[in-house]
Amino acid sequence: MKLKTILTAAALGAASFAAQAADTIKVGVLHSLSGTMAISETTLKDTVLMMIDEQNKKGGLLGKKLEPVVVDPASNWPLFAEKARELLAKDKVDVVFGCWTSVSRKSVLPVFEELNGLLFYPVQYEGEESSKNVFYTGAAPNQQAIPAVDYLMNDVGVKRWVLAGTDYVYPRTTNKILEAYLKAKGVKQEDIMINYTPFGHSDWQSIVSDIKKFGSAGKKTAVVSTINGDANVPFYKELGNQKISAEDIPVVAFSVGEEELAGLDTKPLVGHLAAWNYFMSIDTPENEKLIDTWHQYIKNDKRTFNDPMEATVIGFNLWAKAVEKAKTTDVDTVSSAIIGIETPNLTGGTAKFLPNHHLTKPVFIGEVRDDGQFDVVWETEKEVPGDAWSDFLEGSKDIEADWVKLKCGNYNTKTKECSGQNY
């Protein structure tokens, strides 16, 4: 065979391969399937796969089937960045659904901004960020942490506060916001105890003993917990061991939902609280239908559904609507198209993407039941718009995120300058 013929055949083969590759829309799934965060993240991988399966049953998007590309960053924060680069540069995915911890999101953020990828992040976080490459479908602090403190202060009468968290960016920044908020409400420094522990921490005896002692000063005390991952299991077990009940010192958690409770003896937890934007026990037609779909997909009627899973569903549905509207998966076009698009949430309301890349969300406080579900004891009257920058931190309260009019995620309303990434 002549060299020219060989080269022509090779070129045709490459073109054919490229055409076949373009026949699907690739969806990256970037969640820990091993390590300390697998307890929370594995089920989010399953949720994305379910949504892809459901979308493909409807004919896919733009006449193409969706193809999942699943990787395991293994609760290793630098590995998150490597896997993100692999998804974007090697696998050429059109969108990524992934991350749980803020340290993993911070790790991948420069990669998504460098390669102009699109990340949907489904978990509550500390705020203080708005990237044109990220859509935040979990709660900002004003959609979870602040309402939880308001509930404890106004409805429970809490006067002393334990801010207990895992030692990384989300708990530290959230607690910095909460400490400033509590002091603005008149709480004195001596009535605030702050404690941090490493990921996977297991020996809680002395820390829980300190919490018990702090709560014995004659003032109603509560724990605001930003403890993440499998460290929650021994933490709650130790509360039970030291006979700290919800009546004595209630714990309100921001990272414990139905999935985490499924692995615990819930008896010592009954009456403790969690603040989320969704609970599986909420009775709506949308929620019932989705849970039925989930159980059919996963082939296990015992599997739970939780807030970050709902956030994943909402993010996926909004992305799909934006792709249909834009008639392309191009990142910049889809990012522009998605602003203002609405989709039903699972609790009877509506989720809408705002110009700051955050959602409108309801807020619920749930009380742990002995079956591992939650009874809603408080909720907001309507959806709360997510605020990317805290109103209670110096250096943040003057910052505004707006990717439509201002085309900036950190616009200083005093200096009239955009100090970071912009369009």
Side-chain angles (χ1 to χ4, degrees):
M1 187 182 288
K2 293 183 179 179
L3 178 60
K4 183 177 179 181
T5 305
I6 294 172
L7 292 175
T8 301
L12 288 171
S16 174
F17 177 79
Q20 288 175 7
D23 284 342
T24 62
I25 293 173
K26 290 188 175 182
V27 178
V29 185
L30 183 65
H31 281 301
S32 295
L33 310 180
S34 57
T36 188
M37 292 309 304
I39 185 176
S40 297
E41 291 194 66
T42 299
T43 197
L44 295 190
K45 177 265 296 181
D46 293 334
T47 305
V48 180
L49 295 182
M50 175 186 71
M51 296 305 293
I52 291 172
D53 186 63
E54 290 297 302
Q55 191 66 42
N56 282 338
K57 287 177 182 176
K58 301 174 189 174
L61 284 171
L62 307 180
K64 299 178 180 180
K65 293 289 187 181
L66 305 187
E67 177 188 348
V69 183
V70 179
V71 295
D72 177 17
S75 306
N76 179 317
W77 319 134
L79 189 57
F80 264 90
E82 291 180 33
K83 292 297 183 180
R85 187 172 294 277
E86 180 182 309
L87 286 172
L88 296 173
K90 178 187 170 188
D91 298 310
K92 306 292 184 184
V93 299
D94 297 282
V95 64
V96 175
F97 293 86
C99 299
W100 180 292
T101 65
S102 285
V103 67
S104 65
R105 189 193 70 258
K106 293 285 189 185
S107 177
V108 306
L109 189 58
V111 178
F112 277 87
E113 292 182 347
E114 175 197 342
L115 300 177
N116 198 32
L118 185 58
L119 173 66
F120 282 79
Y121 177 67
V123 187
Q124 84 285 355
Y125 85 122
E126 70 282 357
E128 309 305 293
E129 179 182 300
S130 182
S131 169
K132 79 178 183 67
N133 295 91
V134 181
F135 284 88
Y136 307 82
T137 59
N142 73 307
Q143 296 172 308
Q144 186 188 35
I146 297 296
V149 165
D150 283 342
Y151 169 76
L152 290 172
M153 188 176 286
N154 300 328
D155 291 46
V156 183
V158 172
K159 304 292 184 184
R160 299 201 98 193
W161 303 84
V162 179
L163 308 181
T166 302
D167 193 4
Y168 74 106
V169 61
Y170 163 62
R172 283 192 173 272
T173 307
T174 299
N175 287 339
K176 188 178 177 183
I177 292 168
L178 289 180
E179 185 179 12
Y181 184 69
L182 288 169
K183 288 180 177 178
K185 291 286 187 177
V187 178
K188 296 179 180 179
Q189 183 66 57
E190 60 261 31
D191 289 326
I192 303 173
M193 171 184 168
I194 302 175
N195 179 266
Y196 296 103
T197 45
F199 277 98
H201 189 70
S202 58
D203 184 5
W204 288 93
Q205 189 171 351
S206 61
I207 295 170
V208 170
S209 179
D210 289 342
I211 292 172
K212 190 174 184 178
K213 183 178 179 181
F214 184 77
S216 65
K219 296 179 180 179
K220 185 64 177 177
T221 302
V223 177
V224 178
S225 172
T226 47
I227 299 166
N228 231 309
D230 55 10
N232 277 293
V233 177
F235 169 64
Y236 281 100
K237 185 176 180 181
E238 187 59 35
L239 288 176
N241 290 344
Q242 298 198 27
K243 311 234 178 325
I244 298 177
S245 70
E247 289 77 22
D248 300 328
I249 302 177
V251 177
V252 60
F254 301 157
S255 296
V256 174
E258 293 85 349
E259 184 73 5
E260 288 76 18
L261 291 182
L264 294 176
D265 173 11
T266 55
K267 290 192 183 92
L269 279 74
V270 171
H272 285 298
L273 306 164
W276 290 105
N277 311 108
Y278 164 91
F279 286 110
M280 185 178 179
S281 59
I282 292 174
D283 185 14
T284 65
E286 296 89 351
N287 196 27
E288 183 180 359
K289 181 180 177 182
L290 196 283
I291 291 170
D292 284 345
T293 301
W294 167 243
H295 286 159
Q296 289 173 28
Y297 174 79
I298 210 70
K299 295 181 175 58
N300 182 352
D301 289 347
K302 302 296 184 185
R303 282 287 293 271
T304 55
F305 209 81
N306 64 21
D307 180 287
M309 296 167 76
E310 190 220 21
T312 298
V313 169
I314 289 171
F316 186 94
N317 285 336
L318 287 168
W319 169 75
K321 284 189 173 187
V323 169
E324 293 284 13
K325 178 182 175 183
K327 296 180 172 54
T328 179
T329 56
D330 174 73
V331 168
D332 291 335
T333 309
V334 170
S335 296
S336 296
I338 204 169
I339 303 300
I341 288 183
E342 299 181 355
T343 193
N345 60 32
L346 300 182
T347 56
T350 302
K352 178 172 74 171
F353 261 125
L354 305 171
N356 63 5
H357 287 196
H358 291 65
L359 287 173
T360 56
K361 302 175 79 71
V363 187
F364 301 95
I365 307 293
E367 192 175 274
V368 179
R369 303 190 319 215
D370 58 6
D371 64 353
Q373 292 292 324
F374 292 86
D375 283 327
V376 174
V377 296
W378 181 90
E379 63 185 277
T380 50
E381 292 182 5
K382 57 184 179 180
E383 281 84 15
V384 178
D387 191 355
W389 297 92
S390 174
D391 295 333
F392 306 102
L393 289 182
E394 290 298 327
S396 294
K397 59 187 179 182
D398 299 322
I399 305 297
E400 184 178 349
D402 186 330
W403 291 102
V404 177
K405 292 181 180 177
L406 299 175
K407 301 189 182 301
C408 176
N410 48 4
Y411 179 82
N412 191 306
T413 56
K414 285 191 172 180
T415 65
K416 310 296 183 187
E417 292 179 352
C418 180
S419 59
Q421 183 200 38
N422 59 13
Y423 271 126

